[in-house]
């Protein structure tokens, strides 16, 4: 897989910059800086301590902080846990009200939920359709018992940048602490904790070409912000976060931050030109909607919703292209709980559009060639899916997306019929002309199957279908059409169990087989109705 697929998932994680991994490698073995930075009695420890402090300065410099204000953690998730729970605990006597946004990263959302269970009051602010917070909503939400406002700088799904300074004016005025999740902002846009009035700030190394498993929390010293430790043992990091410091990780994060500061301007320019190029190409397709503000957005992220196609069919198609695109739906949606992105729904997208969304995230090694290749492949795939979709009514050019022969997530049969259906998408060829057309769907039309056949007396001479739904829904339609070809309608009987076993459908896809069984039943019914019509006409 790796090596040939185009990586456009930099917002999920970035590869480590070779300059970073080189520095890290020098911190592990006997000849290197492997010592425990707390063992100041000997050289090994002292050298490690120096390396850690140098990295601390590099991280501080990237955000305009003092080195002493940086606390090492395992990543932004832990940083935000420490910030939110730590502040809640330390300031519980002052008040038990926290304000945050509906579109925060899960690490902040889940901390707030946890605190809610422990008796804190949490206000979840909405965002406008462009993904930005309305400062007036915040102003109204701040109460006498508010201790903390937590607003992310850059959203991980949409790339939308919040107006941090306007928010901090309000928190300062009302004497409320301000935490910012900057995991997606650091190294992409300038950060200055003093100018921007930030009290606590979460960082993660693996979003800016550093290693996974290391992050930092900035904790303001003047005026001093108190944070109750959440991990105890040894009193490292001024008592806020215990545990032996992982020197190689820390040195990696330091080098990544140093590089980010050096490269940020040029990189943001180059990456945003590539992002705009991708958007220009994709927006040639009708009804491709950009999610979130285009103006207030980091360089590397483009999030779009594609009308008329199902999210799973789209994502499976993208990962099953001959040259696959490694992207993310932007939401952590699992096959089991097909839940669409809560972030996109907060921006006002309906469930279908939120589900049929793609987050392209570009970065340091993305090339123009890759962008052109992806734009071309995505366009072909969307066209092919739309030609098959009963929910897409506009004309679509014929397209032949180049699909891979196999896909590890699906049975060979499901994948074969799905990709074939995209190749011979004969929309309109048979449909709606003379012949029989039936349509059935699951409740709420999550999946729709439309079947059309042409008959010569009782023999089916041609069968075609349209389908909106997952990969299996498309595969089932294609399989059924194959199976119906040249058959006598009255003699066919196909059960959903037969369809399931023929295609090797997973049990959670049973509804697709039932849909096909229904469609066939309706077709027979329609046929007999037509027959009796003809009989009656003949009789009269
Ligand atoms: C990735 C990410 C996190 C979590 O960072 P980890 O270091 O993986 O724990 C938190 N917030 C945002 C916005 C992120 O993108």
């Amino acid at each position: 897989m790796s090596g040939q697929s185009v990586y456009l998932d930099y917002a999920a994680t970035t590869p480590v910059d070779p300059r970073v991994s080189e520095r890290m490698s020098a911190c592990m073995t006997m000849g290197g800086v492997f010592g425990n930075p707390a063992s100041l009695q000997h050289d090994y420890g002292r050298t490690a301590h120096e390396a850690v402090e140098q990295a601390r300065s590099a991280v501080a410099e990237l955000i305009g902080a003092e080195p002493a204000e940086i606390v090492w953690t395992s990543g932004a998730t832990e940083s935000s846990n420490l910030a939110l729970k730590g502040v809640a605990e330390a300031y519980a006597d002052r008040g038990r009200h926290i304000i945050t946004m509906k579109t925060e990263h899960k690490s902040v959302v889940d901390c707030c939920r946890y605190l809610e269970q422990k008796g804190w009051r949490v206000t979840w602010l909405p965002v406008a359709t462009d993904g930005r917070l309305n400062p007036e909503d915040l102003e109204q939400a701040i109460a006498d018992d508010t201790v903390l406002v937590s607003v992310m700088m850059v959203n991980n799904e949409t790339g939308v940048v919040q107006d941090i300074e306007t928010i901090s004016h309000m928190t300062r005025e009302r004497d409320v602490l301000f935490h910012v999740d900057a995991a997606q902002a650091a190294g992409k846009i300038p950060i200055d904790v003093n100018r921007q009035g930030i009290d606590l700030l979460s960082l993660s190394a693996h979003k800016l070409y550093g290693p996974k498993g290391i992050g930092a929390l900035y904790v303001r010293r003047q005026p001093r912000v108190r944070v109750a430790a959440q991990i105890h043992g040894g009193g490292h990091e001024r008592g806020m976060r215990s545990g032996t410091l992982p020197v190689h990780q820390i040195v990696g994060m330091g080098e990544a931050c140093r590089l980010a500061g050096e490269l940020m301007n040029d990189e943001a320019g180059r990456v945003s030109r590539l992002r705009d190029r991708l958007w220009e190409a994709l927006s040639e397709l009708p009804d491709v909607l950009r999610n979130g503000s285009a103006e207030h957005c980091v360089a590397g992220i483009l999030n779009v919703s594609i009308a008329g196609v199902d999210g799973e069919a789209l994502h499976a198609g993208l990962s099953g292209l001959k040259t696959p695109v490694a992207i993310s739906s932007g939401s952590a949606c699992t096959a089991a709980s097909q839940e669409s992105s809560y972030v996109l729904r907060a921006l006002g997208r309906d469930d279908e559009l939120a589900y049929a969304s793609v987050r392209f995230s570009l970065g340091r090694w993305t090339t123009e060639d890759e962008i052109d290749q992806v734009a071309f492949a995505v366009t072909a795939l969307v066209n092919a899916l739309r030609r098959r979709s009963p929910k897409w009514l506009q004309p679509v050019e014929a397209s032949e997306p180049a699909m891979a022969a196999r896909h590890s997530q699906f049975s060979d049969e499901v994948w074969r019929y799905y990709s074939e259906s995209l190749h011979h998408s004969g929309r309109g060829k048979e449909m709606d002309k003379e012949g029989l057309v039936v349509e059935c769907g699951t409740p709420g039309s999550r999946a729709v199957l439309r079947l059309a056949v042409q008959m010569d007396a009782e023999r089916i001479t041609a069968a075609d279908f349209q389908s909106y739904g997952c990969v299996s829904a498309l595969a089932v339609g294609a399989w059924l059409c194959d199976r119906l070809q040249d058959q006598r309608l009255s003699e066919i009987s196909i059960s959903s169990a037969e369809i399931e076993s023929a295609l090797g459908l997973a049990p959670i896809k049973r509804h697709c087989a039932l849909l096909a069984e229904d469609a066939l039943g309706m077709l027979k019914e329609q046929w007999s109705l037509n027959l009796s019509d003809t009989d009656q006409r003949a009789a009269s």
Side-chain angles (χ1 to χ4, degrees):
M1 264 279 279
S2 69
Q4 52 165 322
S5 106
V6 177
Y7 190 74
L8 291 182
D9 208 8
Y10 280 82
T13 194
T14 56
V16 172
D17 191 294
R19 289 163 281 194
V20 170
S21 63
E22 199 179 306
R23 295 288 308 272
M24 291 175 70
S25 304
C27 299
M28 284 187 274
T29 50
M30 189 64 208
V33 187
F34 74 91
N36 187 331
S39 308
L40 296 175
Q41 313 86 314
H42 50 66
D43 280 359
Y44 297 98
R46 280 195 294 272
T47 323
H49 175 77
E50 275 161 29
V52 165
E53 293 316 308
Q54 199 191 351
R56 204 188 292 279
S57 302
V59 173
E61 196 180 329
L62 186 67
I63 60 170
E66 293 299 321
E69 296 174 310
I70 301 299
V71 176
W72 301 114
T73 65
S74 63
T77 299
E78 190 193 324
S79 298
S80 295
N81 270 264
L82 177 55
L84 273 78
K85 294 177 191 168
V87 163
E89 203 181 317
Y91 293 86
D93 54 352
R94 201 201 266 187
R96 293 187 173 222
H97 181 225
I98 294 171
I99 301 171
T100 189
M101 275 192 311
K102 286 184 174 168
T103 54
E104 287 292 316
H105 187 266
K106 275 276 163 120
S107 52
V108 167
V109 169
D110 287 352
C111 279
C112 288
R113 290 229 180 94
Y114 170 83
L115 288 167
E116 261 179 337
Q117 281 174 4
K118 296 279 168 190
W120 270 264
R121 194 158 55 82
V122 177
T123 302
W124 302 89
L125 294 176
V127 292
T129 52
D130 69 354
R132 295 192 109 211
L133 186 69
N134 177 0
E136 279 168 25
D137 289 343
L138 175 62
E139 185 146 47
Q140 284 177 9
I142 298 180
D144 289 341
D145 62 342
T146 310
V147 290
L148 181 70
V149 169
S150 183
V151 171
M152 70 203 314
M153 195 174 289
V154 171
N155 184 274
N156 48 299
E157 291 190 30
T158 59
V160 168
V161 183
Q162 298 295 339
D163 184 351
I164 296 299
E165 271 159 88
T166 301
I167 296 168
S168 69
H169 280 310
M170 293 175 189
T171 54
R172 281 283 152 91
E173 202 158 275
R174 303 289 298 272
D175 207 13
V176 170
L177 294 175
F178 184 28
H179 166 252
V180 173
D181 174 354
Q184 293 288 348
K188 315 232 165 50
I189 55 175
I191 300 176
D192 186 324
V193 287
N194 291 318
R195 190 171 48 71
Q196 295 177 296
I198 297 165
D199 298 311
L200 301 122
L201 181 121
S202 299
L203 294 169
S204 175
H206 76 98
K207 304 288 174 69
L208 76 162
Y209 311 100
K212 294 166 195 46
I214 182 75
L217 179 66
Y218 158 79
V219 184
R220 177 171 289 286
R221 296 251 281 181
Q222 273 179 340
R224 183 161 166 266
V225 172
R226 283 178 293 132
V227 172
Q230 302 298 307
I231 295 179
H232 304 92
H236 306 75
E237 298 299 280
R238 290 177 289 125
M240 281 185 265
R241 203 277 194 178
S242 290
T244 302
L245 295 176
V247 180
H248 61 301
Q249 301 286 80
I250 288 171
V251 164
M253 181 164 185
E255 179 65 6
C257 288
R258 192 192 66 74
L259 276 171
E262 195 179 293
L263 304 174
M264 184 157 54
N265 271 338
D266 289 349
E267 195 160 272
R270 191 186 74 86
V271 170
S272 72
R273 278 191 294 281
L274 291 177
R275 191 261 320 271
D276 294 346
R277 187 180 179 91
L278 180 59
W279 172 236
E280 247 169 60
L282 295 182
S283 56
E284 301 252 313
L285 287 164
D287 286 358
V288 172
L289 312 167
R290 187 159 175 179
N291 293 316
S293 168
E295 186 192 344
H296 303 284
C297 185
V298 283
I301 297 184
L302 175 67
N303 190 313
V304 297
S305 283
I306 296 175
V309 305
D310 168 78
E312 188 201 304
L314 175 68
H315 278 277
L318 289 169
S319 61
L321 288 165
K322 240 189 197 124
T323 306
V325 193
I327 40 95
S328 160
S329 58
S331 61
C333 74
T334 60
S337 80
Q338 302 204 331
E339 212 200 308
S340 63
S341 153
Y342 65 93
V343 171
L344 297 185
R345 278 185 277 125
L347 269 63
R349 291 292 182 222
D350 65 25
D351 223 25
E352 264 175 26
L353 280 173
Y355 193 37
S357 68
V358 188
R359 176 187 71 184
F360 300 96
S361 51
L362 295 62
R364 192 164 287 171
W365 291 282
T366 308
T367 66
E368 193 172 285
D369 227 32
E370 286 177 327
I371 290 301
D372 291 347
Q373 210 177 322
V374 167
F376 183 81
V378 172
T379 301
L381 178 68
V382 169
N383 277 333
L385 283 167
R386 281 179 169 174
R387 280 170 73 87
R388 279 287 176 207
S389 169
K391 292 200 184 181
W392 184 257
L393 304 173
Q394 302 172 39
V396 190
E397 272 175 51
S399 284
E400 297 271 303
M403 308 306 293
R406 304 173 74 101
H407 193 300
S408 57
Q409 265 177 281
F410 303 94
S411 75
D412 283 356
E413 288 74 22
V414 165
W415 186 249
R416 183 160 59 82
Y417 279 106
Y418 166 82
S419 21
E420 265 177 27
S421 80
L422 298 181
H423 278 272
H424 318 290
S425 49
R427 175 196 176 88
K429 196 170 56 186
E430 259 81 35
M431 301 245 151
D432 291 343
K433 287 211 213 130
E434 309 118 59
L436 295 177
V437 182
V438 295
E439 183 174 309
C440 51
T442 54
S445 303
R446 264 227 121 111
V448 178
L449 178 63
R450 197 155 181 261
L451 192 60
V453 297
Q454 294 204 312
M455 313 274 297
D456 177 9
E458 227 196 287
R459 204 171 54 83
I460 297 169
T461 54
D464 205 354
F465 78 102
Q466 285 193 305
S467 172
Y468 174 91
C470 56
V471 170
S472 305
L474 281 152
V476 162
W479 180 88
L480 186 62
C481 288
D482 252 19
R483 183 73 165 61
L484 294 181
Q485 188 71 35
D486 289 324
Q487 300 291 307
R488 296 169 74 83
L489 188 51
S490 64
E491 287 168 8
I492 313 171
S493 144
I494 304 173
S495 69
S496 63
E498 183 187 341
I499 300 171
E500 274 182 76
S501 80
L503 286 169
L505 282 190
I508 58 159
K509 297 300 183 187
R510 181 158 297 152
H511 61 279
C512 296
L514 287 168
L515 219 52
E517 194 185 270
D518 282 355
L520 184 58
M522 284 169 79
L523 200 64
K524 287 180 161 189
E525 203 173 308
Q526 187 77 33
W527 172 245
S528 61
L529 281 176
N530 279 13
L531 273 188
S532 55
D533 264 7
T534 332
D535 289 350
Q536 273 170 16
R537 254 184 272 130
S540 61

